[in-house]
Amino acid sequence: MKIFAVGMNYAQHNKELDGALYKPEQPVIFTKADSSLLKDRKPFFIPDWSHQVDYETELVVRISRLGKSIPERFAYRYYDAVTVGIDFTARDWQREARDKGLPWEICKGFDGSAVIGEWVDKEKFRDIQAIHFHLDINGKTVQEGCTSDMLYKVDELVSYISKFFTLKTGDLLYTGTPVGVGPVHIDDHLEGWLEDRKVLEFNCK
């Protein structure tokens, strides 16, 4: 199983990070280690080597077929379900990596940093690019997004990634986070929602 993730895929989040609205010239793709996957409501243990770990709430897509060099017009055939996930980011380590032009593996791919919710069949939604999602922490909504605001749409991402990597059944795609990221703390209770359906729930330790 491979875990793909997309950086800088919502304009307002790009402004949040870099102070400007912009669209990258091509999708910004990175991977997370398979040991980063956290599911089944297991707790997230905040690493003691980082001073700021931020939540990034995202729509996650599950690949359902083997595919390589997939044309965009056929990309919808290669995923079958979606959910809410959290791409936890060691923000202090990421700032240093970006400043020095270093890789993101540690700040993005550490153990437990890819939290995943319960899958919902994509056919439950009228349009993959019109799904609202949000994250609550301790009962308060802290981040909201809609897939209509993606700079690169799901089918574009599937097609683009498949140029470089053979997609396999069970691979995951974190599609990017909207504006509103922030830090988590010990004893925080997180709940992720797709429309009015709660699909994600866990605690921070």
Side-chain angles (χ1 to χ4, degrees):
M1 182 200 67
K2 301 183 290 300
I3 303 173
F4 298 100
V6 184
M8 297 174 282
N9 201 30
Y10 287 80
Q12 290 294 336
H13 173 61
N14 297 346
K15 183 177 182 180
E16 177 179 52
L17 285 186
D18 298 327
L21 296 170
Y22 65 91
K23 179 178 181 178
E25 293 183 3
Q26 57 192 16
V28 176
I29 306 298
F30 59 95
T31 60
K32 294 168 78 79
D34 58 3
S35 58
S36 70
L37 192 63
L38 185 67
K39 56 185 180 179
D40 302 327
R41 299 191 176 193
K42 293 179 180 177
F44 170 68
F45 290 90
I46 300 173
D48 57 9
W49 44 261
S50 175
H51 299 297
Q52 181 183 345
V53 176
D54 284 358
Y55 57 82
E56 296 190 5
T57 312
E58 313 196 4
L59 182 86
V60 185
V61 174
R62 183 176 69 189
I63 300 299
S64 58
R65 292 177 59 185
L66 183 71
K68 174 69 175 175
S69 299
I70 303 165
E72 184 180 329
R73 66 185 183 278
F74 297 136
Y76 71 94
R77 300 177 179 176
Y78 289 82
Y79 55 90
D80 65 349
V82 297
T83 190
V84 168
I86 306 292
D87 169 23
F88 276 121
T89 303
R91 192 69 70 196
D92 47 349
W93 283 66
Q94 187 190 40
R95 290 192 190 102
E96 183 176 358
R98 293 185 73 182
D99 289 345
K100 297 180 179 179
L102 299 174
W104 289 11
E105 273 79 0
I106 291 178
C107 69
K108 286 285 194 179
F110 59 91
D111 287 354
S113 63
V115 189
I116 198 78
E118 299 168 5
W119 293 107
V120 180
D121 191 306
K122 70 175 184 180
E123 302 302 328
K124 298 288 186 181
F125 302 96
R126 176 181 58 83
D127 183 353
I128 196 78
Q129 295 302 157
I131 299 175
H132 291 83
F133 58 96
H134 69 273
L135 175 70
D136 293 352
I137 297 183
N138 304 325
K140 179 182 178 181
T141 298
V142 296
Q143 190 177 19
E144 300 177 82
C146 182
T147 56
S148 62
D149 294 326
M150 286 181 179
L151 297 174
Y152 290 98
K153 308 305 183 185
V154 172
D155 290 355
E156 292 180 270
L157 295 171
V158 170
S159 177
Y160 181 79
I161 292 170
S162 73
K163 294 178 183 178
F164 310 99
F165 302 91
T166 298
L167 297 180
K168 296 183 178 182
T169 301
D171 286 350
L172 306 180
L173 172 57
Y174 284 67
T175 57
T177 193
V179 69
V181 303
V184 290
H185 306 92
I186 292 174
D187 294 329
D188 278 348
H189 181 69
L190 280 69
E191 297 172 296
W193 299 75
L194 276 180
E195 300 291 352
D196 59 355
R197 184 193 303 254
K198 182 165 69 173
V199 295
L200 180 69
E201 184 172 10
F202 66 100
N203 295 313
C204 291
K205 300 290 187 179

